[in-house]
Amino acid sequence: RFEKGRIYTFIGEVVVSMNPYKNLNIYGRDMIEQYKGRELYERPPHLFAIADAAYKAMKRRSKDTCIVISGESGAGKTEASKYIMQYIAAITNPGQRAEVERVKNILLKSNCVLEAFGNAKTNRNDNSSRFGKYMDINFDFKGDPIGGHINNYLLEKSRVIVQQPGERSFHSFYQLLQGGSDQMLRSLHLQKDASAYSYICPGAQIKCSISDGAEFKAVADAMKVIGFKQEEIQTVYKIVATILHLGNLKFSVDGDTPVIENGKVVSIIADLLSTKSDMVEKALLFRTVATGRDVIDKQHTEQEATYGRDAFAKAIYERLFCWIVTHINDVIEVKNYDTTIHGKNTVIGVLDIYGFEIFDNNSFEQFCINYCNEKLQQLFIQLVLKQEQEEYQREGIPWKHIDYFNNQVIVDLVEQQHKGIIAILDDACMNVGKVTDEMFLEALNNKLGKHAHFSSRKLCATDKTLEFDRDFRIKHYAGDVIYSVTGFIDKNKDTLFQDFKRLMYNSSNPVLKMMWPEGKLSITEVTKRPLTAATLFKNSMIALVDNLASKEPYYVRCIKPNDKKSPQLFDEERCRHQVEYLGLLENVRVRRAGFAYRQTYEKFLHRYKMISEFTWPNHDLPSDKDAVKKLIECHGFQHDVAYGKTKIFIRTPRTLFTLEELHAKMLVRIVLFLQKVWRGTLARLRYKRTKAALTILKYYRRYKVKAYIHEVARRFHNVRLMKDYGKHVQWPTPPKVLRRFEEALQTIYHRWRAGELIRSVPPEVLPQLRAKVAAMEVLKGHRADIGLQRVWEGNYIALKPDNPQTTGSFIPVANELKRKDKYMNVLFSCHVRKVNRFNKVEDRAIFITDRHLYKMDPMKQYKVMRTIPLYNLIGLSVSNGKDQLVVFHTKDNKDLIVCLFSKEPSNDSRIGELVGVLASHFKRSKRALQVSVTNPVQCSLHGRKCTVSVETKINQSQPDFTKHRSGFILCVPGN
């Protein structure tokens, strides 16, 4: 499989992953789609399959899950964790919610930052994690990541000051020197040459497959995405630069006084740490000791000053790393999550922790790392081998026990209270007086001499691989490891002089001050003895294993095919050894003999009861076990299952997949049914709400209508007694529904008021009133002066003031016409000036009765010159000025053109009266009379079309007609 590029293999829910030592094109978007939502064995083995299985278990069953990635250093654990994170990020948040995208981005980018500050090139691996990392990803009820938390374990801080041959310090140092701009390096007082700095000088010439320059830019960008401010990023690189400068300090002794040879470096360090150079120098050369109430400054020896400087460099790098992790946690922490509102918050944990290590020189760090791997192997044994077999026996499933090596004995050797190596190391550190590493080894020999997994040169005098007073050996599950006790006491005490803590706390840089809160303690303040490094690590490991044990575990077991990082070489002996100590053979045996899936009857029914008519929606069988049996037999899976006391066991994944397919199909129908019922409920609720709203509206409208009518009745209560019959009363604003009603009501009111007003008018005045109304209807807005204010006399020729000389001769003529033409009423009479088709202008009179219009000659005793029956009259035309021009239009196109004039008073306008009486008469006779108001006026004389226009002349005394090419001009006086 390795030779064909198939680097993944399944053992149940364990993925065995071989490091291919080359890039494979099996992690793209198309590959993600192939594994998304699929069951574990549907596709070829892959990391994505295990990530999807963990995600599905978390989403389907609301169970916290974890993916434990283990293996030797360089087996590919960190890469595996990155691909798992990439997969989870790719399959979540289909709705593209901004907050979820932000969390995903930060989770992915955090890898890049933590690798820069926590990984280094070792002899086994170019990107070896020198710290343990456990990342919890929190998901909401929809399965989208909403936050997370990172725990870091035991950063190998000794790497800051010393590295084994062929290895480098942490990437961050080389990245800063290679990737930092010239301006940045100048501000940090650094140069690009890594060999100029004694802490990282050994690794300066070592080639590494990681590009430091490119990674520096990627890390800076990632820090910005995560939310680091510019001044915080600046402080991070100031701390890295400070450590490089600290390594270049040279101490010597002047007499009895220790001095720093290169004092200029001190002022650079003070500048980078935002503190004073004399304080930095004092902290490096003196130690403040409190004896009772007295405080004295104790001088360091050259050796103590070097130790203090190295301890300070390690401590500030460790604090920086922990601060970065805390900062990331603050940004991705789940905030304002209420389970009652948002549903259960579930977790997928991803553990990427240092692998088992055997170096040429194994010290305290390797001891802790290998203890950590023992704990994880114990968890694997407990969950996969021991618990599974015990469960079969407990449930009464026929089972043949499979032997395996239980490494609990090695775990106890390290962590047991009072008897374990860590307890003995702590006792040695607490002893008063000078305690050496040799004394610690002696204590180990005395207390653990008879332990099968412990040996030293004193216990095995013939074993020359062990040095006297230096080495001890532990038989780990992964092989024998020889540890050198040199440095164990110092590293376990992890002493850092209080002076350095105070120095950092008093920095004017707020980020640095925040990293060292204990620096605020006064010198004389007595504090509790801090826990040792080994005990802190032991406690964190016990907590980690308890946390993992509470979740449903999925394993990725990483294997190195060879030690030469070759993509072609498969070292069979090396691989066999890893397979043995990882317990993979026993795992295969247990899986082959065992069952792929087990679940309590209650939970199994809860998930699958809808696929059988006997169990949906609830069964009536004696127990859940009987109901499950019925369900399984119903689908013909009885040969692939076993029934325990409280659980059902399914042997092959294929049966489980079939059950899941049936469940998925039925779920669609159930969802549709629920949607139908719920939509019906919503529709009924909506109907009731609408009905209620309409009822409220009906009563409200009724109230508004009643209120309006009551208000109208109130305002118009005494309208009959009012002087103006309520004209001054303001109408209330009606509701929208009554607007047309209001219009009708107002019309009725106006008609009533008009009737009341008319009733008060004397009968003899009524005809005149009707004529004035008719005139107003026709002329209002077209002519300024209608003559409404004066009394309309009508028969002006018969009045003496108008024509005192000729009145006597007119009346007999009028009476004669009355006898002859049988008219009832005289409508109008007046003197006029007329013009005919021969352009002849003469003074005449017009006499209009209810039957005829007569043109008379006043000079000839009012002889009738022309009679026009009123039924022959089809219209009138008047001008829009103040003149008295009138054109009578007849059916036979023999129009009569006249200009009215009066003697007394001479400027009296009678046009309105003439139009009004004729319009009123025609209206009563139910005949149409067309009245047009224009200038010039159109007319027809014996069929010939012509126009009459009006002009004003200042020196004109009387209106007069003159000929014009288009007709006539009526000249009127200007004043």
Side-chain angles (χ1 to χ4, degrees), residues 599-613:
Q599 189 57 272
T600 59
Y601 293 121
E602 184 190 359
K603 286 186 177 175
F604 184 86
L605 264 183
H606 181 70
R607 182 156 186 83
Y608 300 112
K609 64 181 178 178
M610 71 274 294
I611 67 173
S612 168
E613 60 189 17

Side-chain angles (χ1 to χ4, degrees), residues 215-256:
E215 284 298 311
F216 176 81
K217 188 175 184 315
V219 170
D221 292 343
M223 287 174 93
K224 283 176 191 163
V225 169
I226 290 166
F228 285 85
K229 295 175 190 155
Q230 194 53 48
E231 56 269 26
E232 290 174 334
I233 297 172
Q234 199 62 35
T235 301
V236 166
Y237 289 116
K238 279 183 180 177
I239 293 170
V240 174
T242 300
I243 292 166
L244 293 176
H245 289 303
L246 276 170
N248 283 358
L249 286 174
K250 293 187 176 70
F251 299 102
S252 58
V253 180
D254 184 7
D256 290 336

Side-chain angles (χ1 to χ4, degrees), residues 730-788:
Q730 190 173 355
W731 287 75
T733 307
K736 198 173 180 181
V737 72
L738 289 183
R739 280 186 190 160
R740 289 182 67 184
F741 169 75
E742 184 205 34
E743 289 169 13
L745 193 62
Q746 283 181 354
T747 305
I748 293 166
Y749 163 71
H750 291 314
R751 287 174 72 93
W752 170 82
R753 185 171 167 271
E756 290 298 309
L757 289 169
I758 287 165
R759 265 196 289 278
S760 65
V761 174
E764 62 273 14
V765 180
L766 272 176
Q768 189 180 140
L769 190 62
R770 286 196 184 96
K772 284 185 175 181
V773 169
M776 194 169 71
E777 282 176 353
V778 173
L779 298 177
K780 192 173 183 186
H782 300 294
R783 269 185 81 98
D785 182 18
I786 304 173
L788 298 175

Side-chain angles (χ1 to χ4, degrees), residues 695-752:
T695 305
I696 292 165
L697 275 171
K698 183 175 80 174
Y699 280 95
Y700 179 69
R701 278 179 183 153
R702 191 178 291 177
Y703 155 74
K704 290 290 278 184
V705 167
K706 282 181 178 177
Y708 173 74
I709 290 168
H710 285 314
E711 182 62 19
V712 170
R714 187 186 68 77
R715 292 189 186 188
F716 289 90
H717 178 56
N718 290 321
V719 75
R720 290 177 188 278
L721 305 175
M722 292 176 191
K723 207 170 185 180
D724 61 353
Y725 297 109
K727 185 182 177 184
H728 71 282
V729 176
Q730 190 173 355
W731 287 75
T733 307
K736 198 173 180 181
V737 72
L738 289 183
R739 280 186 190 160
R740 289 182 67 184
F741 169 75
E742 184 205 34
E743 289 169 13
L745 193 62
Q746 283 181 354
T747 305
I748 293 166
Y749 163 71
H750 291 314
R751 287 174 72 93
W752 170 82

Side-chain angles (χ1 to χ4, degrees), residues 485-693:
V485 292
T486 309
F488 259 64
I489 296 287
D490 278 346
K491 287 173 181 176
N492 190 40
K493 279 183 177 175
D494 199 18
T495 308
L496 179 68
F497 300 137
Q498 196 70 25
D499 304 67
F500 289 117
K501 295 176 184 176
R502 278 194 290 276
L503 172 73
M504 297 303 283
Y505 181 76
N506 292 319
S507 165
S508 61
N509 185 325
V511 180
L512 282 170
K513 189 184 179 84
M514 189 168 60
M515 288 184 198
W516 298 81
E518 69 272 45
K520 68 179 175 186
L521 297 173
S522 67
I523 297 162
T524 54
E525 203 168 327
V526 179
T527 57
K528 192 178 173 185
R529 183 194 292 270
L531 293 173
T532 60
T535 300
L536 284 169
F537 185 69
K538 180 185 83 173
N539 294 345
S540 68
M541 280 301 107
I542 292 168
L544 172 66
V545 169
D546 288 346
N547 184 9
L548 295 175
S550 71
K551 295 177 169 59
E552 188 171 306
Y554 292 82
Y555 287 93
V556 179
R557 311 292 257 171
C558 297
I559 290 179
K560 288 175 74 169
N562 58 74
D563 286 325
K564 295 178 180 171
K565 302 176 194 170
S566 165
Q568 278 93 30
L569 192 62
F570 186 87
D571 185 335
E572 204 163 313
E573 189 57 43
R574 187 84 180 75
C575 293
R576 185 182 289 117
H577 175 63
Q578 290 171 81
V579 166
E580 278 175 13
Y581 76 65
L582 287 171
L584 296 183
L585 293 173
E586 293 90 337
N587 190 1
V588 170
R589 289 192 201 111
V590 170
R591 269 292 161 190
R592 271 190 185 156
F595 296 84
Y597 174 83
R598 76 280 332 263
Q599 189 57 272
T600 59
Y601 293 121
E602 184 190 359
K603 286 186 177 175
F604 184 86
L605 264 183
H606 181 70
R607 182 156 186 83
Y608 300 112
K609 64 181 178 178
M610 71 274 294
I611 67 173
S612 168
E613 60 189 17
F614 298 106
T615 54
W616 176 258
N618 292 303
H619 67 85
D620 54 1
L621 293 158
S623 67
D624 285 349
K625 184 175 180 179
D626 294 325
V628 170
K629 275 185 180 176
K630 192 77 178 167
L631 188 151
I632 291 292
E633 286 165 10
C634 189
H635 291 284
F637 298 138
Q638 59 270 29
H639 304 300
D640 200 39
V641 300
Y643 302 103
K645 291 171 185 171
T646 62
K647 291 181 178 179
I648 178 174
F649 292 80
I650 297 174
R651 190 175 299 280
T652 61
R654 177 57 50 204
T655 300
L656 192 64
F657 300 157
T658 311
L659 285 170
E660 276 298 326
E661 280 172 13
L662 291 166
H663 169 264
K665 281 179 189 170
M666 192 54 70
L667 208 59
V668 174
R669 290 172 64 183
I670 290 169
V671 167
L672 284 171
F673 174 73
L674 289 173
Q675 283 179 339
K676 182 185 81 171
V677 173
W678 180 236
R679 281 178 183 146
T681 305
L682 286 177
R684 281 187 287 278
L685 285 171
R686 202 178 300 117
Y687 168 73
K688 284 178 182 174
R689 278 200 300 271
T690 308
K691 193 177 176 185

